[in-house]
Amino acid sequence: MKKRFIGGMVATAILIPAAAFAASAVIDMPTRTPMTTEQVKVDEVGKSTLEKLYLAFPETKSFEIIDASNVQGDVSKGKNVINVNQTSIVLQEKGGTGKKITLHTNGSTGEIEHVIQENWEPKEKSLITLTDQEIKAKVNDLIDKMYGNVEQYEIAIEQMENPNQKTWMLNYTNEMFEEPIYQVFVQDNTISVTKIVGIPTGPKPSNIKVEGLFSLNGKPDYSADNFLNDEKLFALLKISPTELKQELAKGKTVVEIAASKNVSKQQVIDVIAETQSRAQLQGDGVPISEHSLKQMMKAIEPKLLPIIEHKTETKW
């Protein structure tokens, strides 16, 4: 696996997708608007975020909301422009010195994109005093409770070169995606989890009818299988999974195969994006409304273009 820093927090607790910006970039940020505890509890995204947290860690029901805010607006750097809509909530044990947890939630999809857990271990045995396996177990527990089914990922842990502070980086990968699903940093007594790739949480998808639709250097490349194993796509193209694999092996793209059947590229995008969006929202426990579905489809569309316009690297 490529050992690389994907990126995470930019400026004041605004989470920017790593594919767009590096964490060290200087960019213009929209203004963050403070929220009161009462506003959080009546806000749709705020309520949903708290419900997920309380389900994962029931003890946090007694925590106080010590900070909350929302940020909305376009963030740009060079040619990249991203619309940010994020609600952030910080909770801490009463007394102000104990356990603390911070949640950054996508205001459009309701997905919790970033979790920071602080001071959940006793000071006399903080995280940095633990072994690699013990640290991995602590991180696994956090991801499993917040997102579920951590067993489906490969995990790589390494200590980063940081002379001023011990830092561990953990990457959680799945063979269907090039980027890590989660990237985690452990420092002092803090675990910081960023969800990099939006995929449905849960067991390995049962929709896989045929694997290795693309090949790379003569070997199956599984990265696109989850997207293209779509029953609605097969029905739209009037093609079986095996026939689709055979056509792709001839060096055709999905768009070219669709065109030969009088199906437009946008039709292909819409079908796959809706399937992926519904699975993502359902996996995150977010109510599927017309608005949330459209927002998620819009976010997924850029990920689909490189797949449906890709030609297999090796003709079988």
Side-chain angles (χ1 to χ4, degrees):
M1 187 191 71
K2 296 178 182 177
K3 295 181 179 179
R4 44 190 281 197
F5 171 58
I6 299 300
M9 301 306 293
V10 179
T12 311
I14 297 179
L15 190 67
I16 304 298
F21 308 119
S24 60
V26 177
I27 55 182
D28 293 327
M29 306 304 296
T31 303
R32 184 170 283 279
T33 304
M35 298 175 68
T36 65
T37 298
E38 290 71 25
Q39 287 174 322
V40 171
K41 291 181 177 180
V42 298
D43 178 72
E44 183 178 345
V45 175
K47 286 194 300 182
S48 174
T49 300
L50 291 176
E51 286 171 2
K52 293 176 184 178
L53 174 64
Y54 295 156
L55 183 63
F57 296 99
E59 66 187 286
T60 58
K61 291 180 181 179
S62 65
F63 285 20
E64 295 178 306
I65 297 176
I66 62 172
D67 189 25
S69 59
N70 175 263
V71 61
Q72 295 187 43
D74 290 334
V75 178
S76 62
K77 178 178 181 291
K79 296 180 180 180
N80 294 312
V81 177
I82 286 183
N83 181 261
V84 174
N85 180 3
Q86 185 188 83
T87 295
S88 301
I89 307 172
V90 184
L91 301 95
Q92 190 169 38
E93 280 186 314
K94 291 182 179 179
T97 58
K99 295 179 179 178
K100 184 177 178 181
I101 191 162
T102 301
L103 307 163
H104 299 288
T105 303
N106 187 308
S108 299
T109 66
E111 179 182 24
I112 298 175
E113 299 174 316
H114 192 205
V115 181
I116 306 173
Q117 192 182 63
E118 301 175 69
N119 303 323
W120 284 58
E121 300 301 317
K123 290 183 179 180
E124 58 271 17
K125 194 176 182 182
S126 65
L127 288 167
I128 60 171
T129 68
L130 304 180
T131 65
D132 286 7
Q133 288 303 314
E134 288 173 326
I135 289 174
K136 188 185 296 185
K138 297 292 183 182
V139 176
N140 283 356
D141 182 66
L142 175 56
I143 292 177
D144 195 61
K145 287 180 177 177
M146 291 301 301
Y147 296 102
N149 295 297
V150 73
E151 296 85 2
Q152 65 181 304
Y153 305 113
E154 295 290 332
I155 307 169
I157 180 172
E158 63 175 312
Q159 186 172 346
M160 301 183 70
E161 295 181 6
N162 186 348
N164 300 318
Q165 192 175 42
K166 282 188 176 180
T167 303
W168 282 262
M169 179 175 71
L170 294 86
N171 282 321
Y172 287 70
T173 59
N174 183 292
E175 64 181 10
M176 293 185 295
F177 295 87
E178 293 183 1
E179 303 287 6
I181 309 303
Y182 304 101
Q183 188 165 77
V184 186
F185 291 92
V186 177
Q187 288 181 337
D188 293 331
N189 216 359
T190 299
I191 299 174
S192 177
V193 178
T194 301
K195 189 173 184 184
I196 303 295
V197 177
I199 66 169
T201 54
K204 186 175 181 179
S206 59
N207 64 305
I208 303 297
K209 305 298 182 184
V210 59
E211 295 183 315
L213 289 166
F214 292 126
S215 62
L216 179 63
N217 297 325
K219 297 180 180 180
D221 177 5
Y222 301 102
S223 59
D225 287 355
N226 186 53
F227 290 98
L228 297 183
N229 274 272
D230 188 315
E231 292 291 351
K232 291 184 178 180
L233 175 64
F234 299 145
L236 177 67
L237 299 181
K238 295 182 175 60
I239 196 171
S240 71
T242 301
E243 289 171 336
L244 177 60
K245 183 173 181 176
Q246 290 172 345
E247 290 299 302
L248 291 171
K250 295 176 183 178
K252 298 179 182 178
T253 67
V254 174
V255 172
E256 290 171 342
I257 296 170
S260 69
K261 298 177 178 292
N262 296 317
V263 174
S264 70
K265 179 168 70 174
Q266 191 60 51
Q267 285 178 289
V268 172
I269 290 173
D270 290 344
V271 163
I272 301 175
E274 181 175 352
T275 298
Q276 293 292 321
S277 297
R278 288 185 179 278
Q280 175 68 60
L281 293 170
Q282 185 176 13
D284 289 333
V286 178
I288 301 177
S289 64
E290 183 177 354
H291 175 71
S292 64
L293 187 61
K294 285 184 177 179
Q295 289 294 319
M296 181 63 78
M297 289 176 66
K298 184 178 179 181
I300 287 177
E301 183 170 330
K303 300 178 183 179
L304 298 181
L305 292 174
I307 294 173
I308 63 176
E309 295 177 343
H310 178 69
K311 291 187 178 182
T312 189
E313 301 296 326
T314 308
K315 294 182 182 180
W316 291 3

